[in-house]
Amino acid sequence: MRLSTYTSALVAAAATCISAAAVTRSVGSVRTVYTFPPNTFVENIAVRSNSNLLITASSADLYSINPKAASPNATVVHTFPNANGIFGITEVAHDVFAVLTGIWDFAITRAELGSLAVWTVNFNTATPKVKKLTGIANSTIFNGIVRHPYNPRLLLAADSAIGAVWRVDLLTGDYGIAFQSPLLAPTETGSLGINGLKAAGTNLYFTNSAQGFFGKVAVNSQGGQVGSIKIVSNSTTGIVFDDIALDKTGSKIGWIASHPAQVIGVADNGSQVVIEDTAKLLNPTSAAFGRGDLTQAKTLYVTNGGEFVGWDLVNGGIAAVVVR
Ligand SMILES: *[C@@H]1O[C@H](CO)[C@@H](O)[C@H](O)[C@H]1NC(C)=O
Ligand SMILES: *[C@@H]1O[C@H](CO)[C@@H](O)[C@H](O)[C@H]1NC(C)=O
Ligand SMILES: *[C@@H]1O[C@H](CO)[C@@H](O)[C@H](O)[C@H]1NC(C)=O
Ligand SMILES: *[C@@H]1O[C@H](CO)[C@@H](O)[C@H](O)[C@H]1NC(C)=O
């Protein structure tokens, strides 16, 4: 996530020399769905059951895009107060999404202390109902967020700064640290530790961008760590792992949006399939499978953070990749 993070995270990856498991390169079919105006850093994605993509970016606006339209366009669902960016987004109940807003400081890749807030956006009514759940007083970054894999009351959030997973009670708004580990922490050269966060079964799946791996860990009903954290697959030199889409039907556990131009499918044994497209995958920040019909379910929607041309960040947007 985030502009200047590109450089710090890339340096971290280059400095880490790791032996990878089997890596297969493949050319996927990649198509551009939508491109935002310049200087929009596109950050995260969630998909509604009606197929519409919900997109967060370096903006106080939450966007919706119908990927099935002849020329998809972004409409604004809601504009949040006290925010210059929306970070994580995840579905917490049918057509109810939690989103994380804050005031981001690009120079230090952290939000202003006290600015983070968790909201819910409920699409079950004709006009989406937006509600503030709570402000977060004592974290500077909630990056990936996900509903607890089996306790519907809890939202879990990846703190890339202190290397922790936080829990937020979706009913009361109470929050605190669920667990913390050196394996979730950033490094001296990479400012973002745990980044993407997804849940399935009794496990959390996550990426650590700075340390360069995709891992998994079991959690108890309160989100606490159970057993040890397993490193499933390491990133290779020059690749920085960002957010993840879990793959519930294929031979992969998930697909990792990776900088500078990849989505990487990872199997349980750590083997990787790399789909690379230097023209259409532009610093991918997150990914999610389409929903609503079979064609959508085969399509991985990838958010492109964008690329710098001089001082301008351009071509932030959405790409569609057929991965199966
Ligand atoms: C896309 O949406 C924006 C904002 O609502 C609007 O200004 C623009 O005209 C739309 N473009 C197309 C091609 O419909
Ligand atoms: C953060 O603030 C919450 C709410 O005041 C408190 O319960 C929790 O202990 C604090 N956690 C940390 C790590 O400071
Ligand atoms: C990942 O890298 C670490 C550190 O170099 C190494 O100990 C571990 O065996 C690697 N794991 C996999 C699954 O490749
Ligand atoms: C790892 O799993 C993948 C997907 O199931 C499979 O194609 C591959 O052969 C396996 N590799 C090894 C070394 O077992």
Side-chain angles (χ1 to χ4, degrees):
M1 83 175 288
R2 300 288 124 178
L3 304 165
S4 45
T5 304
Y6 290 163
T7 30
S8 50
L10 285 167
V11 169
T16 320
C17 208
I18 32 196
S19 61
V23 174
T24 314
R25 299 219 159 231
S26 122
V27 182
S29 110
V30 183
R31 126 187 101 82
T32 302
V33 174
Y34 181 74
T35 302
F36 280 91
N39 298 314
T40 310
F41 180 84
V42 184
E43 165 62 11
N44 217 319
I45 181 170
V47 185
R48 292 181 58 196
S49 50
N50 72 359
S51 302
N52 285 354
L53 314 178
L54 297 175
I55 303 294
T56 70
S58 57
S59 157
D61 296 333
L62 174 65
Y63 300 101
S64 176
I65 296 175
N66 174 4
K68 301 200 277 194
S71 354
N73 197 9
T75 56
V76 176
V77 174
H78 187 76
T79 303
F80 291 87
N82 304 318
N84 66 359
I86 310 179
F87 316 114
I89 179 164
T90 193
E91 191 170 24
V92 293
H94 176 73
D95 233 1
V96 181
F97 292 80
V99 301
L100 204 286
T101 62
I103 299 173
W104 189 252
D105 184 333
F106 290 93
I108 58 169
T109 72
R110 299 289 183 259
E112 235 171 63
L113 195 64
S115 75
L116 296 185
V118 183
W119 304 75
T120 53
V121 183
N122 184 345
F123 289 92
N124 290 294
T125 47
T127 314
K129 222 184 285 166
V130 179
K131 211 173 79 183
K132 184 174 178 180
L133 180 64
T134 183
I136 305 290
N138 46 11
S139 170
T140 54
I141 178 170
F142 276 11
N143 202 327
I145 59 173
V146 73
R147 210 202 69 186
H148 185 287
Y150 56 95
N151 179 353
R153 276 246 335 226
L154 292 187
L155 180 75
L156 300 174
D159 188 321
S160 313
I162 64 167
V165 169
W166 291 67
R167 72 169 81 81
V168 180
D169 188 312
L170 287 162
L171 280 185
T172 63
D174 289 346
Y175 59 91
I177 291 174
F179 66 99
Q180 196 166 8
S181 164
L183 286 171
L184 308 182
T187 62
E188 269 177 36
T189 48
S191 64
L192 298 176
I194 182 172
N195 188 329
L197 184 64
K198 290 283 152 24
T202 56
N203 293 315
L204 296 181
Y205 293 86
F206 68 96
T207 48
N208 184 318
S209 299
Q211 296 186 39
F213 69 87
F214 171 62
K216 84 175 186 191
V217 59
V219 289
N220 64 25
S221 66
Q222 295 311 299
Q225 179 179 343
V226 174
S228 54
I229 292 173
K230 180 173 189 251
I231 295 179
V232 176
S233 198
N234 288 308
S235 59
T236 52
T237 304
I239 301 283
V240 178
F241 286 170
D242 205 318
D243 212 328
I244 323 150
L246 293 188
D247 191 341
K248 284 167 187 144
T249 62
S251 58
K252 313 282 180 296
I253 306 178
W255 292 83
I256 306 173
S258 304
H259 308 206
Q262 295 79 11
V263 284
I264 300 178
V266 180
D268 199 39
N269 62 18
S271 72
Q272 298 181 4
V273 171
V274 180
I275 295 176
E276 184 170 274
D277 188 323
T278 54
K280 291 180 189 149
L281 294 175
L282 305 166
N283 289 307
T285 48
S286 65
F289 280 99
R291 292 172 71 186
D293 61 46
L294 279 176
T295 308
Q296 291 300 310
K298 286 185 196 168
T299 305
L300 185 67
Y301 289 102
V302 178
T303 52
N304 282 331
E307 57 186 345
F308 278 104
V309 172
W311 293 103
D312 280 321
L313 181 74
V314 300
N315 294 329
I318 317 298
V321 186
V322 176
V323 297
R324 57 176 183 241

